Amino acid sequence: ASQYSALVHEWHESPEAPRAQFEHAKLLEKQGDYAEAFDEYEYLIRNFVSGFSFNEVVDRQYRVANAIMTTPGRFLWIFKTTPDYEKALPLFEKIVANAPRWSQTCQAQYDIAQIHERKGELDEAISAYEIVQQNFPRDALAVDAAFRQGECLARLARENPREERRSQVAR
């Protein structure tokens, strides 16, 4: 890993640098250092225009973000912590921003909405589900997004019964 990093930073303009950066990120991913691996993949996308497969890098970023989202945390005393949605959210947002036409962008946007919903941020979840429906109307997830959006709207209407506008939108 240190040799790959040295090659990238000492000979940044060399044709081997993008491949070394990619291999460095893969090593970090293999070691389970997901946050650092994601950052190294992001560095590859931001600083090199060729010498790597963009789709493969974004696929790996998605796997890393998904691993962060779904892997329970380490044991804290005797209690096992829940997955860290706070850390996964900006990663999915970067993926959507980096690759708006990638094959799994719809899923990444849906994951963003689900994270907001799990965190109780219903307004943000509603907006994120709306983006899924608008940007990917023919994807099967658009139907699920519409349903989840309706569930969030109904929950907000129940929590705020005096807000007529929310109740109307929920209906």
Side-chain angles (χ1 to χ4, degrees), residues 7-18 47-48:
L7 192 153
V8 169
H9 296 293
E10 292 295 321
W11 297 284
H12 196 272
E13 302 301 322
S14 73
E16 294 83 8
N47 294 290
F48 297 100

Side-chain angles (χ1 to χ4, degrees), residues 61 121 170:
Q61 277 189 313
E121 300 168 347

Side-chain angles (χ1 to χ4, degrees), residues 22-61:
F22 181 67
E23 292 299 325
H24 181 228
K26 281 176 37 179
L27 281 174
L28 291 169
E29 181 182 352
K30 186 176 181 180
Q31 293 170 351
D33 191 355
Y34 296 127
E36 187 68 27
F38 189 94
D39 290 342
E40 293 300 324
Y41 287 128
E42 187 68 18
Y43 182 87
L44 177 63
I45 290 171
R46 295 278 176 230
N47 294 290
F48 297 100
V49 294
S50 64
F52 64 97
S53 168
F54 180 79
N55 285 337
E56 184 177 1
V57 171
V58 177
D59 281 339
R60 287 186 168 277
Q61 277 189 313

Side-chain angles (χ1 to χ4, degrees), residues 5 11 14 49 53 60 70 72 81-82 85 88-90 93 98 100 133 142 147 150 152-153 155 162:
S5 183
W11 297 284
S14 73
V49 294
S53 168
R60 287 186 168 277
T70 58
T81 60
T82 59
Y85 301 118
L89 182 61
E93 289 170 341
N98 286 344
Q133 295 170 66
F147 178 78
C152 291
L153 286 166
R155 213 166 113 196
R162 295 186 189 270

Side-chain angles (χ1 to χ4, degrees), residues 98-170:
N98 286 344
R101 299 288 171 236
W102 174 58
S103 63
Q104 296 296 314
T105 302
C106 181
Q107 180 65 55
Q109 181 63 43
Y110 189 83
D111 291 337
I112 290 169
Q114 285 190 312
I115 290 170
H116 281 302
E117 187 176 355
R118 287 179 182 144
K119 290 173 52 183
E121 300 168 347
L122 298 180
D123 287 323
E124 290 86 352
I126 290 166
S127 297
Y129 285 129
E130 183 67 31
I131 291 170
V132 171
Q133 295 170 66
Q134 288 178 356
N135 294 353
F136 310 98
R138 294 189 177 159
D139 195 290
L141 283 176
V143 175
D144 291 340
F147 178 78
R148 296 298 329 142
Q149 182 183 29
E151 286 285 322
C152 291
L153 286 166
R155 213 166 113 196
L156 279 175
R158 282 191 299 275
E159 291 172 3
N160 305 294
R162 295 186 189 270
E163 291 185 29
E164 184 64 30
R165 186 174 183 284
R166 283 196 194 268
S167 296
Q168 288 175 350
V169 171

